[in-house]
Amino acid sequence: MLHVLYLVGISAFAASGVLAAYRANMDPFGGLVLAFAAATSGGTLRSLILDDHPLYWTHDWVLLTLIVCVSVGTIIYLRYWQLPRKSLLVVDAVGLSVVTVIAARAAIAAGATPLAVIILAVMSGVAGEVIRDVLCGEFPPLLLREDVYAIAALAGAASYLGLHHLQVRADIAAVVCAGLVFALRMAAVHFGFHLPRPQQLKPRG
C-alpha cells in the first residue's frame, strides 16, 4: 500500500512538472526536465538530510520509467486536449500529500526527533514545487504566495507523527494523513483560504 501511494505521488509531481512547463510555453524537453525535477527533488532532499545513500532514484529503474511514461503521456495528452484550469493545482496537491507523508515516515524510521520529523516532512513536501516554479521563472513560487500549502503539509506531518505514536498501522496512517493534506490544500484552493497577511503601512502626510 505504501509503495503504491509513493508511486502515485511521484506520478502526480511528474505530471505537475509537465503542466507547469506547458503553461510556461516550454518545449517537450523542458517538460521532461521539470517532470524529473518536481518528482525527485523532495525525495533527494530527504535522502541528503538523512544521509541515505545512494540516492533512491539512482537505482530504481521502475521509478525512473514511471516518470518518463507519465511525462510522455501528459505531453501527448496536452498535444490534443485541453486540461481543466485547476488541473495543475490538483496534481500538485496529490504530490504534496504523498511526499510529505513518505518523508515523515522515513524521518521517524531514521530516529529523528518529533520536531525534526515535521520540519523534514514539510521541506520534502514543498521542495518539488519550489524547484519547478523557479525553473519556470515563476517568482515568488506558489509556496510563498499560497499560505495553505506548507501549512497543509505541516498538518499532515504532525498527524502522521501522532498516529505513529498511537501505534496505528503505517499504511492506514499514511492514507489518512495524505488525504488530510490533499483535503486542506483543495479546500484552500476552492474557498480561497489563506492566513492573515500584514497590512501595508500607509505613508504619512
Side-chain angles (χ1 to χ4, degrees), residues 11-38:
S11 299
F13 264 145
S16 79
V18 175
L19 291 174
Y22 175 78
R23 294 190 178 187
N25 296 316
M26 293 185 178
D27 60 18
F29 182 75
L32 287 173
V33 171
L34 259 65
F36 273 94

Side-chain angles (χ1 to χ4, degrees), residues 13-39 67-68 70-72 74-75 78 88 128 131-137:
F13 264 145
S16 79
V18 175
L19 291 174
Y22 175 78
R23 294 190 178 187
N25 296 316
M26 293 185 178
D27 60 18
F29 182 75
L32 287 173
V33 171
L34 259 65
F36 273 94
I67 294 174
V68 171
V70 170
S71 303
V72 172
T74 306
I75 291 171
L78 292 173
L88 176 58
I131 297 298
R132 182 199 69 207
D133 284 0
V134 169
L135 291 177
C136 280

Side-chain angles (χ1 to χ4, degrees), residues 23-122:
R23 294 190 178 187
N25 296 316
M26 293 185 178
D27 60 18
F29 182 75
L32 287 173
V33 171
L34 259 65
F36 273 94
T40 61
S41 294
T44 298
L45 177 63
R46 179 193 70 223
S47 295
L48 290 174
I49 292 176
L50 295 178
D51 196 25
D52 184 12
H53 298 287
L55 296 179
Y56 71 103
W57 55 267
T58 60
H59 55 85
D60 190 341
W61 66 269
V62 173
L63 178 67
L64 296 178
T65 302
L66 178 65
I67 294 174
V68 171
C69 290
V70 170
S71 303
V72 172
T74 306
I75 291 171
I76 293 174
Y77 186 95
L78 292 173
R79 177 67 177 79
Y80 298 101
W81 296 282
Q82 184 74 28
L83 285 174
R85 184 173 60 88
K86 292 185 178 180
S87 56
L88 176 58
L89 296 175
V90 173
V91 294
D92 189 56
V94 173
L96 172 70
S97 62
V98 174
V99 173
T100 296
V101 169
I102 295 298
R105 181 173 180 269
I108 291 173
T113 64
L115 182 58
V117 168
I118 294 175
I119 293 174
L120 176 61
V122 173

